[in-house]
Amino acid sequence: MARFTVPRDIYHGKGSLEELKNLKGKKAMICVGGGSMKRFGFLQRAEDYLKEAGFEVKLYEGIESDPSVDTVMKGAQAMLDFGPDWIVAIGGGSPIDAAKAMWIKYEYPDITFEDMCKVFALPELRHKAHFCAVSSTSGTATEVTAFSIITDYKKGTKYPIADFQITPDVAIVDPDLAETMPKKLVAHTGMDAMTHAIEAYVSTAHCEYTDSLAIHAIELIQKTLIDSYNGDMAARDTMHDAQCLAGMAFSTASLGIVHSMAHKTGAVFADYGAHIIHGAANAMYLPKVIAYNAKDETAKARYAVIADYMHLAGSTADEKVAALIKELRHMNDELNIPHCIKNYGPDSFPTEQGFVPEEVFKERLAGIAERAVGDACTLTNPRKIDPDQMAKLLTACYYDQDVDF
């Protein structure tokens, strides 16, 4: 028996933020990140809609990118102090992921972070509150998924919380919010969505329900992401739906080692000022992982199907896999995303700080590889991998080397 779980209600299309005024309850806490939702007026609109519905509203602001365990604990305490019966998270993946984790701690104050990270082992939620997620970026799809990514900066690693209990009750996918994204965020979140769809399609946990969502998401992303990046707002609106479709696919099918590697490299070089943004990491690693996984015949055949739906050249499965890798690298070029960790830094993204020094990468490689193999996403990767192979794959991702093992 398998399970397919999505939010009870998904409201989508321009102006769907207004659905907040139809929620029923007494107290709502809005969890939000930096200033963009406030700056563009969406936070005030959300607050006004909830007050129109009769809620007492409290804001929890300032959730950082790649939220920390400390932020989760502080937010949970704020929820315990206020006692909301609805938690409304608005913004990109970070505030929504943080709010999901806060929700667990709010419902079960004695639970530890380590217990929260046990895969599909959470106790039943919704004794105190229901959850509404409003996405402002077109990539993470956390508004419809059973996942939350929280960073332990003391250990320099990201931990996925995975359980259908944290699938939101209500998702609002309003493209008006996505139209405010800066170009770099469009690129990174878009390739995150592409990675979600591709990994879901080749996952060992894929099924008929997830395959259709993943394939259509891939088609839409290929068609619209670059145009969205270049300022086409109709394309950006479509991307907002496409990333949600990808999210519904991977929430059930799960992911693979692209995400395992991204989780374990994102913050591990932060002491050198090199924080590898999640979407950029996925974009850099995806072509290498496809080359690795395609040594498995079943995975190769499924990548070939993806290439067919993307209308890429090739008469054999090997040719189609090569064409898929070439197309993804081309997309990275068009989106100004580098092909390897060595080239990631201020030269590729002027607002980024620091590079990943070669000697530091080599020094930490074995530990990163071991943790990546132990990541929850590795369980559903189509080809098995051990720490030695993972170290080779990470090395290929550092130097942009061919993968031939």
Side-chain angles (χ1 to χ4, degrees):
M1 182 182 74
R3 178 176 178 176
F4 181 78
T5 300
V6 294
R8 182 181 184 277
D9 294 300
I10 301 173
Y11 297 96
H12 57 97
K14 296 178 78 67
S16 53
L17 182 64
E18 190 174 356
E19 187 58 33
L20 288 174
K21 69 182 183 183
N22 293 320
L23 297 183
K24 307 295 183 186
K26 296 179 179 179
K27 290 184 174 183
M29 175 170 278
I30 301 178
C31 299
V32 68
S36 64
M37 290 297 95
K38 179 180 285 186
R39 198 161 56 247
F40 292 108
F42 294 114
L43 178 59
Q44 187 62 57
R45 283 170 56 188
E47 187 175 359
D48 290 346
Y49 288 142
L50 289 166
K51 287 180 177 177
E52 185 178 341
F55 284 92
E56 178 185 352
V57 180
K58 185 175 181 63
L59 303 182
Y60 189 85
E61 301 182 75
I63 297 171
E64 75 275 30
S65 296
D66 298 311
S68 67
V69 176
D70 288 344
T71 293
V72 168
M73 298 305 166
K74 290 175 184 176
Q77 186 59 54
M79 290 178 184
L80 286 164
D81 294 341
F82 181 58
D85 48 13
W86 272 96
I87 298 164
V88 178
I90 181 170
S94 293
I96 298 175
D97 278 4
K100 286 179 176 180
M102 293 171 189
W103 181 26
I104 301 167
K105 186 73 173 175
Y106 170 52
E107 298 255 354
Y108 294 94
D110 294 331
I111 197 170
T112 65
F113 181 68
E114 289 72 22
D115 285 340
M116 289 164 61
C117 293
K118 292 177 181 177
V119 178
F120 291 96
L122 288 177
E124 184 176 330
L125 301 182
R126 296 167 179 81
H127 297 294
K128 293 181 180 179
H130 287 81
F131 194 98
C132 174
V134 185
S135 57
S136 67
T137 60
S138 301
T140 69
T142 190
E143 72 276 5
V144 293
T145 75
F147 296 93
S148 165
I149 307 299
I150 304 300
T151 302
D152 185 335
Y153 285 96
K154 293 176 183 176
K155 296 181 179 178
T157 193
K158 296 182 179 182
Y159 291 95
I161 300 172
D163 199 290
F164 290 120
Q165 287 294 327
I166 59 171
T167 303
D169 299 284
V170 175
I172 295 176
V173 187
D174 188 335
D176 285 343
L177 280 67
E179 290 182 6
T180 66
M181 287 191 294
K183 287 187 72 170
K184 185 175 77 171
L185 191 58
V186 172
H188 292 169
T189 57
M191 288 307 292
D192 190 19
M194 179 64 95
T195 305
H196 290 158
I198 292 176
E199 288 210 293
Y201 191 74
V202 301
S203 162
T204 58
H206 78 90
C207 65
E208 301 291 347
Y209 294 86
T210 61
D211 283 353
S212 56
L213 291 164
I215 283 293
H216 191 47
I218 291 165
E219 291 179 306
L220 291 176
I221 294 165
Q222 181 196 25
K223 180 180 178 181
T224 62
L225 175 54
I226 293 170
D227 287 342
S228 172
Y229 177 75
N230 290 324
D232 182 330
M233 290 303 159
R236 191 165 302 180
D237 293 353
T238 300
M239 267 300 304
H240 207 45
D241 287 331
Q243 64 86 32
C244 187
L245 297 174
M248 287 189 279
F250 90 78
S251 188
T252 293
S254 192
L255 296 163
I257 57 174
V258 177
H259 273 78
S260 302
M261 295 158 66
H263 292 156
K264 305 314 178 192
T265 54
V268 74
F269 304 109
D271 53 335
Y272 283 84
H275 191 114
I276 304 177
I277 295 171
H278 180 72
N282 283 339
M284 291 188 292
Y285 305 162
L286 180 58
K288 305 301 183 190
V289 169
I290 290 173
Y292 173 82
N293 284 341
K295 301 294 191 295
D296 175 272
E297 291 299 320
T298 300
K300 181 194 296 184
R302 292 188 71 78
Y303 287 130
V305 172
I306 291 172
D308 286 339
Y309 275 97
M310 294 175 74
H311 305 289
L312 303 178
S315 57
T316 67
D318 287 327
E319 290 173 352
K320 291 175 183 181
V321 170
L324 175 59
I325 291 171
K326 182 178 179 181
E327 173 69 5
L328 293 169
R329 289 175 65 89
H330 167 71
M331 291 180 71
N332 286 347
D333 288 338
E334 292 294 312
L335 298 167
N336 293 306
I337 297 174
H339 293 299
C340 61
I341 300 170
K342 187 176 181 180
N343 293 339
Y344 183 92
D347 288 349
S348 54
F349 302 120
T351 58
E352 296 305 309
Q353 300 295 316
F355 292 99
V356 179
E358 186 174 18
E359 64 276 11
V360 176
F361 172 79
K362 289 179 177 178
E363 176 187 315
R364 300 181 183 181
L365 176 59
I368 297 168
E370 188 169 345
R371 290 191 294 274
V373 170
D375 188 272
C377 294
T378 303
L379 295 172
T380 47
N381 193 67
R383 183 185 173 194
K384 300 299 182 185
I385 192 165
D386 61 33
D388 287 341
Q389 292 170 313
M390 181 65 80
K392 290 181 182 179
L393 190 54
L394 284 161
T395 300
C397 290
Y398 185 86
Y399 294 105
D400 192 19
Q401 297 171 340
D402 291 338
V403 175
D404 57 1
F405 54 92

